[in-house]
Amino acid sequence: MLYQSIVDGASLTLDSRAAESDQLTVAVGGGRGCVLRAEAPLAGMWIPLRGRLQLGAGGIESELSTGELRVSECEPGVQAVGRGNALWFALLGTRLAWRNALRERFDVPTPEPLLLPARYAANVSVRRHAIALARVAAHECYDSSATALIESVLGMQAKLGAAIHRCPGRTYAHRRQVFLRLQRVRNYLAANCHLDLDNEALARMASYSPWHFIRAFRAAYEETPHAYLVDQRLLRARRLLRTSPLAISEIALASGFENRCAFSRLFRQRFGITAHALRRQSATVAAAPQARRPDAEHRAIFATRAAAQRQLREPLFS
């Protein structure tokens, strides 16, 4: 496993030599404006440890916040940009690198042992595994930390097996291909839920007619694309209510709801609390005095900053 640290406004490009590697790469970015670009096709998992990460992968632009995790497909042209005082982690690899890792360590029983593209909530345990791997990868003591992190993500992905099984197709390989097409649309919906999207455009993205697209999507995920879109809009609105100073009507509009009454009704049905009550609740929590604790785990990642900067000047793949 290889390691790179990207610090304070620096950039790193993984060029075509990366496609020849059979090892996974740990990348850690910190500071304003740090950028990672991958020209070679790489798949991976991305975890913001602090702040926000703007990620372009698989033709989908999305923003990840602390507490989220995204698994990206093996695609060229991946770009990650930290926003503000961000600190983020990525575990990247070619198809060969991921096949080797998943077959040798985890015995993943599929013809194509690769992680499936998806977006998850990254709990404290997952973030701690990422922090531990970031701290030790520079010293090549990564085995147990990498295993713990990948096992956690494989556990999250276990339920996707049922969705693949529900996809149309005579063989597992065919159903898996159908699932990947549908999952690409689902990830696009999650990243762009605030936009005005129509079924015809989504169906073209999945290479289906609108009727077959809705039928296949409902079979795989047991809900319609519209129901999933509305749920993602409500989740976006809840995040904004907790973090944004925008008025509730502005949050409803920014989340894709043109009718505030419909937004209020759907929000209460989904979360069991009104938007006003959640805003008051969040304001109370924010105003409560909290003991300040040193951000020791995050600072420890860059404890060897000088060594990381020296690594940055060396070629990543040799």
Side-chain angles (χ1 to χ4, degrees), residues 14-317:
L14 307 183
D15 58 25
S16 58
R17 290 174 297 170
E20 302 173 2
S21 176
D22 61 353
Q23 295 180 297
L24 296 177
T25 299
V26 173
V28 179
R32 183 180 297 276
C34 62
V35 180
L36 182 146
R37 297 182 181 89
E39 298 173 357
L42 295 177
M45 57 182 71
W46 308 81
I47 305 175
L49 302 173
R50 182 183 65 223
R52 296 173 293 120
L53 176 65
Q54 190 74 29
L55 178 64
I60 299 174
E61 294 285 338
S62 61
E63 185 175 274
L64 301 178
S65 302
T66 305
E68 294 183 297
L69 178 153
R70 182 176 167 190
V71 177
S72 61
E73 292 187 78
C74 193
E75 296 278 354
V78 175
Q79 177 169 297
V81 183
R83 298 300 184 191
N85 188 27
L87 177 65
W88 51 269
F89 165 93
L91 183 60
L92 307 170
T94 61
R95 288 181 180 273
L96 176 60
W98 280 109
R99 286 192 195 109
N100 291 342
L102 295 175
R103 278 181 176 150
E104 292 174 5
R105 299 183 187 181
F106 305 101
D107 191 27
V108 176
T110 64
E112 185 74 359
L114 296 172
L115 294 176
L116 298 167
R119 188 167 180 159
Y120 303 100
N123 59 28
V124 174
S125 176
V126 169
R127 297 201 299 273
R128 284 178 177 169
H129 290 325
I131 290 170
L133 180 54
R135 292 175 64 181
V136 303
H139 308 289
E140 299 184 357
C141 303
Y142 48 77
D143 282 345
S144 61
S145 300
T147 298
L149 177 60
I150 296 174
E151 280 184 342
S152 297
V153 175
L154 286 174
M156 297 178 189
Q157 299 223 319
K159 64 180 181 180
L160 296 181
I164 295 175
H165 181 73
R166 291 191 295 265
C167 286
R170 294 184 179 181
T171 65
Y172 174 83
H174 186 196
R175 291 195 297 271
R176 190 176 188 275
Q177 286 300 319
V178 170
F179 171 81
L180 289 174
R181 285 154 53 190
L182 295 173
Q183 187 72 352
R184 193 171 292 119
V185 176
R186 197 167 188 254
N187 290 336
Y188 181 83
L189 284 171
N192 298 280
C193 61
H194 57 293
L195 301 179
D196 186 15
L197 305 173
D198 64 89
N199 279 328
E200 289 190 4
L202 298 175
R204 285 195 299 270
M205 190 182 300
S207 301
Y208 272 121
S209 69
W211 184 83
H212 282 96
F213 165 66
I214 295 173
R215 182 181 179 186
F217 192 100
R218 186 168 188 171
Y221 302 112
E222 299 181 314
E223 63 180 345
T224 64
H226 178 72
Y228 180 74
L229 176 63
V230 170
D231 192 59
Q232 291 302 304
R233 286 175 172 174
L234 291 171
L235 291 171
R236 175 184 170 90
R238 185 175 65 172
R239 287 195 300 270
L240 291 175
L241 284 167
R242 289 172 170 170
T243 60
S244 170
L246 292 174
I248 292 178
S249 58
E250 294 173 321
I251 288 176
L253 189 62
S255 300
F257 294 97
E258 296 182 0
N259 188 317
R260 181 179 170 178
C261 293
F263 163 72
S264 299
R265 183 181 69 256
L266 291 169
F267 191 92
R268 183 166 187 172
Q269 290 175 354
R270 176 65 172 83
F271 301 114
I273 187 174
T274 65
H276 283 284
L278 181 63
R279 169 59 63 84
R280 289 195 301 269
Q281 188 181 87
S282 301
T284 301
V285 172
Q290 296 181 357
R292 298 188 63 181
R293 295 177 293 181
D295 201 5
E297 289 184 322
H298 290 169
R299 290 202 305 270
I301 297 176
F302 291 114
T304 57
R305 179 180 292 265
Q309 289 173 332
R310 286 196 300 272
Q311 287 182 336
L312 197 60
R313 294 191 290 270
E314 299 173 355
L316 178 58
F317 296 93

